[in-house]
Amino acid sequence: MRSRRSLTVFLTVGTVLLATAATADASSDRPVAIWEMNEHSGARTMTDSSGRGLHGRIGNEVRIDTRVNGATGYRFDRLEPDSPPARPGHLVTVRDSDSLDPGTRDFAVTVRLRTTHKFGNIIQKGQATVSGGNFKLQIPSGIVECLFRGSSRSLAVSSPRRLNDGRWHTVRCARTGDGVTLVVDGATVARTAGWTGRIANSWPVSIGGKTDCDQIDVGCDYYAGDLDYVEIDAR
């Protein structure tokens, strides 16, 4: 179960206002899916506690009921990049649903993660060339990057520092009509302006890597590390 963190006290008035605005935006969103990732060992269903029934399928290589520093979550072991075969058992997938597409709504994805590695896709819906656009969070070189690709353009934001320090971090990426914002541990760390346009595809949500890949022509970008909590919100 995730542990909610209180807003950090910042040194400058401008930063305080920025962080407060991000918190206010988050509080007005409505949960689409809440995956607490606290299932007991042996479970193969990731339960959605939002009440919408958007449960996920846990691959047989995902280690659940992993306990680290007071949190219980899922562990994704490191797999060598671009080394076949593909390993679909490394993933958690949630069937396609219109509610999981950003569409033209304000839309946010929040994850709580812990890793010492520097590679992989954390969560995504769709891939780079699919019709309808896509969104994803990934962690190249230990830097968390969030991307929304829509009918008008792609917008991406990245954390200014590496988060693969072995500590738990809460990362929230939000797409609105004004742009895309990244919040790490309660502080707004990156923002880019613009409008992506509509995002809606027929793909499942994939946690831990890509679903359509072979590790030869298309790398699966498997995530390595722990996840304690994932939430999707919209309004």
Side-chain angles (χ1 to χ4, degrees):
M1 173 110 35
R2 75 166 172 177
S3 36
R4 294 186 178 270
R5 300 182 177 207
S6 58
L7 187 66
T8 306
V9 177
F10 300 99
L11 295 178
T12 68
V13 172
T15 308
V16 170
L17 292 174
L18 199 57
T20 303
T23 303
D25 287 345
S27 66
S28 60
D29 289 344
R30 294 183 178 180
V32 170
I34 301 173
W35 300 301
E36 299 185 43
M37 297 183 163
N38 57 4
E39 288 79 20
H40 294 299
S41 181
R44 284 294 162 239
T45 298
M46 179 179 69
T47 302
D48 171 22
S49 60
S50 74
R52 292 177 176 265
L54 295 171
H55 307 305
R57 180 178 180 182
I58 305 169
N60 59 11
E61 294 181 8
V62 180
R63 291 201 274 160
I64 64 175
D65 203 16
T66 299
R67 306 184 183 198
V68 182
N69 298 339
T72 300
Y74 297 176
R75 175 158 295 171
F76 300 79
D77 292 325
R78 183 183 182 277
L79 298 175
E80 195 65 29
D82 300 326
S83 296
R87 304 275 288 272
H90 186 84
L91 307 177
V92 181
T93 55
V94 182
R95 69 186 186 280
D96 175 45
S97 169
D98 290 346
S99 62
L100 295 171
D101 288 319
T104 57
R105 302 174 296 171
D106 290 355
F107 191 87
V109 181
T110 302
V111 302
R112 189 164 185 255
L113 63 87
R114 190 197 74 88
T115 186
T116 57
H117 301 286
K118 56 182 181 179
F119 180 78
N121 291 2
I122 302 164
I123 181 172
Q124 62 195 88
K125 189 173 190 297
Q127 293 176 202
T129 60
V130 306
S131 175
N134 69 300
F135 68 82
K136 71 175 178 177
L137 269 71
Q138 59 186 356
I139 189 165
S141 301
I143 298 291
V144 169
E145 180 181 272
C146 170
L147 167 73
F148 284 90
R149 178 177 66 90
S151 58
S152 297
R153 71 180 73 178
S154 295
L155 292 176
V157 286
S158 302
S159 61
R161 64 182 180 89
R162 290 180 173 85
L163 299 181
N164 59 337
D165 55 9
R167 300 176 181 176
W168 285 108
H169 296 284
T170 301
V171 177
R172 181 179 186 271
C173 187
R175 192 284 305 263
T176 68
D178 298 325
V180 175
T181 302
L182 186 68
V183 177
V184 177
D185 298 331
T188 299
V189 298
R191 178 176 288 162
T192 186
W195 169 234
T196 66
R198 179 179 174 81
I199 302 173
N201 61 55
S202 59
W203 288 55
V205 167
S206 176
I207 298 172
K210 295 176 183 173
T211 56
D212 186 14
C213 57
D214 57 11
Q215 291 282 68
I216 301 172
D217 296 320
V218 179
C220 296
D221 295 336
Y222 291 127
Y223 171 69
D226 301 326
L227 293 177
D228 170 48
Y229 187 90
V230 177
E231 180 170 336
I232 293 178
D233 301 290
R235 60 176 168 145

